Amino acid sequence: MEKWIEVDGKDSGEVRLIAISTCGWCRKCRRFFESLDISYKYIYVDLLPPEEKDLFKQTELKPYNARMTYPTVIINDKVVIGYEEDQIKEALEL
């Protein structure tokens, strides 16, 4: 089953980060969320068991990001692909 990790902070709606554990841009996204003190959840796709990884990518990542690249940020109904601070702030309505 999917292993989302929740980080506490201020409620800014549903904020999810689909990431890879070795990705520098993914780490920057996490640091950015933490600097804003918002609650979010993230998942490291590369750490999922092989049988779950492919299913997750097809059902949870591809509908939001057809190229299946990282990081993929989903904020309520808005999607930001890559580490794009301005787009993330806009989606968070900051």
Side-chain angles (χ1 to χ4, degrees):
M1 201 63 185
E2 300 163 19
K3 292 162 182 67
W4 290 93
I5 299 167
E6 296 192 30
V7 178
D8 288 332
K10 293 181 290 199
D11 184 8
S12 295
E14 185 177 11
V15 180
R16 295 181 290 156
L17 169 63
I18 301 173
I20 291 181
S21 64
T22 58
C23 168
W25 295 111
C26 299
R27 280 192 299 276
K28 279 181 165 269
C29 272
R30 289 198 52 212
R31 284 196 297 267
F32 184 59
F33 290 148
E34 290 166 17
S35 76
L36 297 172
D37 190 33
I38 62 168
S39 64
Y40 70 99
K41 60 184 180 177
Y42 68 96
I43 190 166
Y44 286 138
V45 177
D46 59 317
L47 301 182
L48 292 172
E51 63 277 3
E52 291 178 29
K53 188 182 311 182
D54 290 335
L55 180 62
F56 181 87
K57 287 164 66 174
Q58 291 301 316
T59 60
E60 299 292 324
L61 177 58
K62 194 171 187 176
Y64 295 105
N65 178 353
R67 291 180 37 226
M68 296 194 290
T69 55
Y70 305 94
T72 297
V73 179
I74 303 135
I75 301 169
N76 299 314
D77 60 348
K78 298 175 182 131
V79 178
V80 178
I81 297 170
Y83 178 67
E84 302 291 342
E85 276 189 31
D86 291 340
Q87 290 179 33
I88 292 169
K89 282 183 178 179
E90 184 178 316
L92 290 168
E93 299 177 1
L94 297 177

